[in-house]
Amino acid sequence: MPYTLPNLPYAFNALEPYIDEQTMKIHHGGHHAAYVKNLSTAVEKHPELASKPVEELLANIKSVPEEIRQAVINNGGGHLNHSMFWLMMTSPNSGGSGTLPSESEVAQAIKSTFGSFDTFRETFIKAASTRFGSGWAWLSLDNSGKLIVHSTANQDSPVLEGKKPILGLDVWEHAYYLKYQNRRPEYIDAWWHVVNWKQVNENFVKAQ
Ligand code: MN
């Protein structure tokens, strides 16, 4: 297959008790694996596409043949979003990555853009909790290089809109239903305990 499922950088139970082991196993080995397989199948008849990184396919989606365009949006987006998502999280016991160093580049940009970290957090929570149905909440750099909070539907990647994702939260039911059932707000609250701020800062610095 031209695209492959990346391993998790931690154990399936590493995000307990906030995100449970069974959810992680199904989410990674079931859902993410299916996006990878379906993306690979979609580009089978277009080998010139299969050699390109998925970001590149999505950033230039109009150059993807129409017959497979929606499949690439859905499954390429699913592959890219989840590949980033796993890295944006870390064990709450990993010693430090879960706290936002106030002197980090992204912390300073969050403060100057949103006024305070708490205001940013509230804005992000609102985007995550009001996304109707399946989708993602994001902190991204927009086309002008400004930090923004937004959400996308389904597996649409911010890259499709010319944005650079820095931090993302999966609010599909498959991400939380086993543990939280219909209580999306509880899942959103719990998730802040496992955000890998070191990685988020790296994403921000790289996106500049
Ligand atoms: Mn997901």
Side-chain angles (χ1 to χ4, degrees), residues 105-117 146-147 204:
E105 289 89 341
V106 75
Q108 289 175 9
I110 285 172
K111 199 173 172 218
S112 69
T113 306
F114 300 97
S116 70
F117 182 79
K146 185 176 149 46
L147 271 184
F204 175 72

Side-chain angles (χ1 to χ4, degrees), residues 25-138:
K25 281 184 173 163
I26 298 169
H27 201 173
H28 178 265
H31 294 279
H32 188 176
Y35 297 128
V36 171
K37 184 169 178 283
N38 294 338
L39 174 64
S40 296
T41 304
V43 298
E44 240 168 30
K45 287 184 200 149
H46 303 273
E48 76 284 3
L49 298 180
S51 61
K52 293 184 180 171
V54 65
E55 291 94 326
E56 209 177 307
L57 296 182
L58 294 169
N60 304 292
I61 194 65
K62 294 231 165 74
S63 65
V64 171
E66 215 173 334
E67 52 158 8
I68 62 163
R69 195 174 295 160
Q70 194 58 47
V72 170
I73 289 172
N74 294 344
N75 297 289
H79 178 32
L80 179 61
N81 291 341
H82 287 86
S83 297
M84 300 188 71
F85 186 51
W86 310 133
L87 300 178
M88 290 164 175
M89 297 188 288
T90 190
S91 167
N93 307 310
S94 64
S97 314
T99 49
L100 174 67
S102 56
E103 73 282 4
S104 66
E105 289 89 341
V106 75
Q108 289 175 9
I110 285 172
K111 199 173 172 218
S112 69
T113 306
F114 300 97
S116 70
F117 182 79
D118 286 347
T119 307
F120 152 69
R121 195 175 181 278
E122 278 165 31
T123 310
F124 192 96
I125 288 171
K126 193 173 176 207
S129 51
T130 59
R131 163 49 60 187
F132 185 74
S134 298
W136 291 73
W138 300 99

Side-chain angles (χ1 to χ4, degrees), residues 1-41:
M1 295 208 305
Y3 296 96
T4 52
L5 180 66
N7 290 325
L8 286 185
Y10 38 71
F12 289 111
N13 65 359
L15 309 180
E16 295 263 10
Y18 304 106
I19 300 181
D20 61 288
E21 177 172 10
Q22 199 192 356
T23 296
M24 289 300 289
K25 281 184 173 163
I26 298 169
H27 201 173
H28 178 265
H31 294 279
H32 188 176
Y35 297 128
V36 171
K37 184 169 178 283
N38 294 338
L39 174 64
S40 296
T41 304

